[in-house]
């Protein structure tokens, strides 16, 4: 059972470039989310989805796009990379329900030069 | 809005001694509280949760947490620390808005267990 798989693990971009961070889960979870982790700030929610075709903004959505065409996949798109988007990005998923823990991928480390 | 505070950036404890990692929260309604651990270059791993019932919750790897409603706290504890417990620990509360599914995380506490 692979759980939550994120690709790539590392990426270096130049300012202005675009790219897509991939996230896939094989647990049939309805809920998926993207966070960024920055030192001393914990994890901040970027976008989330409660099912295929349904997405919504989190705390820090600017500069990012998402879509959810299938239950399994939830890609995160950087439209025009900026140095402020240098961070570690985590994807998480869970069943719906407030008592359900989220399962995390191992992250994508992104540097914007 | 919901919020989580972890008042200590760093906690140092000697191996074999008890450890406590502190967490306080602010939430409207009943709190759904979680603890996660993060090892270097890995994602967050679920340790335990409080939903309702007994104020002392037991979780993975010998960890437990004590829920205190009057103090709005949910401190993580372990009776005897191991060097392998050294990691970054996050407390989280379930949001009550926006489908009630999102987490609000604290800033994290780095635990160092010294041999």
């Amino acid at each position: 059972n692979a759980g939550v798989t994120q690709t790539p693990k590392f990426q270096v971009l130049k300012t202005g470039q675009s790219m897509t961070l991939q996230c896939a889960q094989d647990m049939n979870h309805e809920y998926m989310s993207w966070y960024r982790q920055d030192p001393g700030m914990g994890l901040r929610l970027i976008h989330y989805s409660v099912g295929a075709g349904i997405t919504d903004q989190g705390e820090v959505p600017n500069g990012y796009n998402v879509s959810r065409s299938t239950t399994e996949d939830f890609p995160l798109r950087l439209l025009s990379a900026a140095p402020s988007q240098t961070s570690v990005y985590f994807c998480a998923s869970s069943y719906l329900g407030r008592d359900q823990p989220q399962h995390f991928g191992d992250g994508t480390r992104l540097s914007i030069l | 809005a919901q919020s989580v505070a972890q008042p200590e950036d760093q906690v140092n404890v000697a191996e074999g001694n008890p450890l406590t990692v502190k967490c306080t929260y602010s939430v409207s309604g009943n709190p759904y509280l979680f603890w996660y651990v993060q090892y270097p270059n890995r994602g967050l791993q679920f340790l335990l949760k409080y939903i309702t019932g007994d104020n002392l919750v037991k979780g993975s790897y010998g960890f437990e947490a004590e829920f205190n409603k009057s103090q709005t706290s949910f401190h993580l504890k372990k009776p005897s620390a191991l060097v392998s417990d050294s990691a970054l620990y996050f407390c989280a509360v379930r949001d009550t808005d926006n489908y009630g599914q999102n987490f609000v995380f604290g800033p994290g506490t780095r635990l160092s267990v010294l041999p």
Side-chain angles (χ1 to χ4, degrees):
Chain A
N1 194 345
V4 178
T5 302
Q6 291 185 237
T7 56
K9 295 189 183 305
F10 304 94
Q11 185 70 47
V12 178
L13 293 177
K14 294 181 179 179
T15 298
Q17 287 185 315
S18 63
M19 80 160 293
T20 299
L21 278 62
Q22 301 292 345
C23 175
Q25 53 93 8
D26 61 359
M27 297 170 281
N28 205 31
H29 287 164
E30 302 94 342
Y31 176 88
M32 296 186 74
S33 56
W34 277 101
Y35 296 89
R36 59 177 290 172
Q37 183 179 22
D38 301 293
M41 302 187 73
L43 278 78
R44 292 182 292 169
L45 183 66
I46 304 172
H47 284 287
Y48 65 97
S49 168
V50 295
I54 306 170
T55 64
D56 210 340
Q57 297 180 353
E59 180 185 356
V60 289
N62 292 341
Y64 307 95
N65 254 351
V66 292
S67 60
R68 184 97 180 268
S69 56
T70 67
T71 299
E72 295 78 16
D73 300 300
F74 191 46
L76 178 72
R77 297 181 185 84
L78 277 70
L79 309 173
S80 178
S84 61
Q85 293 178 304
T86 293
S87 188
V88 182
Y89 291 84
F90 288 99
C91 179
S93 70
S94 73
Y95 294 113
L96 289 177
R98 295 187 67 200
D99 63 330
Q100 296 297 313
Q102 291 188 17
H103 300 258
F104 284 79
D106 282 338
T108 294
R109 285 151 185 79
L110 185 61
S111 292
I112 315 296
L113 305 178
Chain B
Q2 282 63 239
S3 66
V4 176
Q6 294 180 242
E8 300 157 319
D9 293 336
Q10 173 96 29
V11 171
N12 297 322
V13 64
E15 188 175 26
N17 282 2
L19 70 87
T20 298
V21 182
K22 296 180 180 178
C23 171
T24 60
Y25 65 90
S26 173
V27 63
S28 56
N30 293 324
Y32 288 68
L33 297 158
F34 297 76
W35 274 103
Y36 282 83
V37 60
Q38 184 182 30
Y39 298 102
N41 300 314
R42 298 300 303 275
L44 278 67
Q45 297 178 30
F46 168 68
L47 280 178
L48 51 79
K49 65 182 179 182
Y50 173 82
I51 305 303
T52 187
D54 195 348
N55 288 343
L56 186 64
V57 178
K58 294 189 182 299
S60 305
Y61 312 121
F63 283 94
E64 57 191 26
E66 186 170 11
F67 172 69
N68 188 315
K69 187 174 184 177
S70 63
Q71 297 185 2
T72 62
S73 66
F74 188 53
H75 299 333
L76 181 70
K77 300 182 179 185
K78 188 173 183 181
S80 178
L82 301 171
V83 172
S84 57
D85 292 329
S86 299
L88 189 55
Y89 290 82
F90 290 97
C91 181
V93 64
R94 213 82 199 230
D95 198 351
T96 55
D97 301 323
N98 303 313
Y99 306 100
Q101 297 300 309
N102 297 333
F103 274 137
V104 175
F105 283 92
T109 298
R110 187 164 300 280
L111 173 68
S112 292
V113 181
L114 309 173

